[in-house]
Amino acid sequence: LLLTVGAIAGLLTEAAGARGADPRLARAFGAGLAALFTLACTGRTASWARAKTETAGAGADLFRGDGRTAALRAALREIEDLAPKDATLAVLPEGALANFLTRRSNPTPYLALMPVEEIAYTPARVAAAYRAAPPDFVLLVHKDTSEFGAPAFGRDYARELGGFFAEAYEPVARLGAEPFTTAQFGMKLLRRRTPR
């Protein structure tokens, strides 16, 4: 915006004056365009802020978010109720904020696992890391990753890891819709089964 105003005040008025036009008229036209742009941005920001009706976290960690934040708040309560303070937690395909808010770490080096990360790290390496250091809990968070050509975690990508979760973990809570099955947002908390 500052560059645009600077251009309007300087370059546009100089160009108008060089062509014999009234520089004041060019400045007024440019200022009007900048004002319209500013109003449009302000309206969009206000609309975005109005959608943030839910809160999660506490104290200095409290934040405001959209409807998905209610599911996160419920997930945080479930984690606090079910997971001891020293329990480990993986949040996939993304959502390390839950690790921060619950103060529970991910024992693997993979804090996010969108399709791009899986390609970069390779599926076998990611699955091996989770098998070598399985987290006590896994929070699956719905995320439509169609833009990457693989819409659903565990089905369209990260299949090996999804299979590991299916065999080694049990669901203990669902918050919202079942993740990766519809367009609706939801989360599912899994707990590692005790080895038999």
Side-chain angles (χ1 to χ4, degrees):
L1 181 60
L2 291 175
L3 289 175
T4 303
V5 170
I8 290 167
L11 299 174
L12 188 60
T13 53
E14 287 176 20
R19 289 185 169 73
D22 185 353
R24 291 176 299 175
L25 183 60
R27 190 178 301 125
F29 176 74
L33 285 177
L36 284 174
F37 177 74
T38 302
L39 284 173
C41 288
T42 303
R44 186 172 177 94
T45 300
S47 170
W48 181 64
R50 276 193 301 276
K52 295 182 176 235
T53 58
E54 300 289 340
T55 60
D61 295 337
L62 183 73
F63 71 96
R64 189 174 285 281
D66 61 19
R68 297 172 296 179
T69 307
L72 174 61
R73 186 177 57 242
L76 297 175
R77 273 195 307 266
E78 291 290 341
I79 293 165
E80 291 298 336
D81 289 346
L82 297 171
K85 290 291 182 194
D86 61 345
T88 55
L89 171 70
V91 186
L92 297 169
E94 64 180 359
L97 176 62
N99 291 97
F100 174 78
L101 293 173
T102 61
R103 307 302 195 259
R104 286 167 176 84
S105 63
N106 183 334
T108 77
Y110 307 109
L111 303 182
L113 197 58
M114 299 286 280
V116 172
E117 284 94 2
E118 187 198 33
I119 291 168
Y121 303 138
T122 73
R125 186 187 306 164
V126 171
Y130 273 91
R131 286 182 189 278
D136 299 312
F137 289 84
V138 173
L139 182 63
L140 298 175
V141 180
H142 179 78
K143 174 76 175 174
D144 180 1
T145 52
S146 298
E147 64 189 285
F148 300 104
F153 176 87
R155 184 188 72 209
D156 302 306
Y157 75 100
R159 287 188 283 275
E160 187 176 347
L161 185 58
F164 169 63
F165 291 155
E167 70 188 38
Y169 289 79
E170 61 185 352
V172 291
R174 192 179 85 201
L175 313 126
E178 179 72 19
F180 320 119
T181 58
T182 69
Q184 299 299 312
F185 183 76
M187 300 179 182
K188 184 160 60 173
L189 184 62
L190 309 175
R191 178 172 48 207
R192 187 161 47 105
R193 291 187 176 100
T194 307
R196 296 183 176 136

